[in-house]
Structures are given as C-alpha cells and as structure tokens.
Amino acid sequence: MRAAIADNILFIHAADLPRYQKQGSVVRNTYFWALRSISCYAPRAGKWEYDAIVWVALERLLTSFTTAGYLGLSETNLQFPYDTIIPPELRPIATWYDPADFAETDAGEE
C-alpha cells in the first residue's frame, strides 16, 4: 500500500486500500474494518489517515495479517517514496518504491 507522511499523519493511497464487499472474503472484510477502525479519518473515496499515536497498533495489525498468509505483501506492507524517512514504529512493515512505477495509474487521480 502506497503511503506518505506529513505533519505526523500517515496517509494511505486510496487506490491501495482494501475494499469492503458484502459477499466478499471474511478475511478481507475483517482487514478492511480493522484498518478503518484505527484510522483518524477514513473517507469513502480518498486517502485514509492515521495519527502517530496509532502507528504501533497499525504495525501490529499489518504484521498480524501478513503472518496469517491470507493477504499478499503488497496489501499489507506500507510503501513509501524513496526520499521518505520511515519512522521506527513502521519499519517492520514498510519499504520504499519508485513513484515512476505508478505514474501511469495515477494520471487520472488528484
């Protein structure tokens, strides 16, 4: 999941967020609600925001879903642009990515 940090708020890219589906997988729907429940702002269509105070909980939640093996790493790891310093609380579940890799898919967004 592509992420960014500004003013001690973690933002997860809207296109990378899990989707709730009425008839969907129990694991994916549980993942959706767990991520949404600890966010400080989770609009229906937009980036979800996480205050620094919940970053430890977010790391534990993502680690738990990663180790369960039902979801892929692209769904449970935070990906930051190369120039971002990843906070210690998020390092176990974070990596870097090249924004150019997503330039084509982001062309129609904000």
Side-chain angles (χ1 to χ4, degrees):
M1 296 183 295
R2 288 171 287 166
I5 296 175
D7 298 324
N8 262 356
I9 303 285
L10 171 75
F11 298 90
I12 297 180
H13 197 280
D16 297 342
L17 290 165
R19 304 281 179 238
Y20 175 78
Q21 297 176 347
K22 245 182 192 173
Q23 302 298 319
S25 157
V26 172
V27 172
R28 290 185 188 281
N29 285 343
T30 300
Y31 183 54
F32 169 87
W33 288 114
L35 277 176
R36 189 164 189 205
S37 70
I38 63 171
S39 70
C40 64
Y41 182 63
R44 187 171 275 246
K47 298 175 183 176
W48 288 6
E49 302 176 11
Y50 297 85
D51 290 323
I53 198 163
V54 300
W55 289 355
V56 171
L58 178 62
E59 184 271 329
R60 289 177 181 170
L61 188 149
L62 293 175
T63 298
S64 175
F65 276 92
T66 299
T67 57
Y70 290 109
L71 303 172
L73 288 177
S74 64
E75 297 175 278
T76 56
N77 275 355
L78 299 174
Q79 299 174 329
F80 292 94
Y82 285 131
D83 60 351
T84 302
I85 296 172
I86 300 173
E89 301 91 344
L90 301 173
R91 285 184 191 151
I93 45 90
T95 188
W96 291 278
Y97 75 94
D98 184 355
D101 293 343
F102 294 95
E104 191 173 299
T105 58
D106 290 342
E109 296 182 16
E110 304 175 41

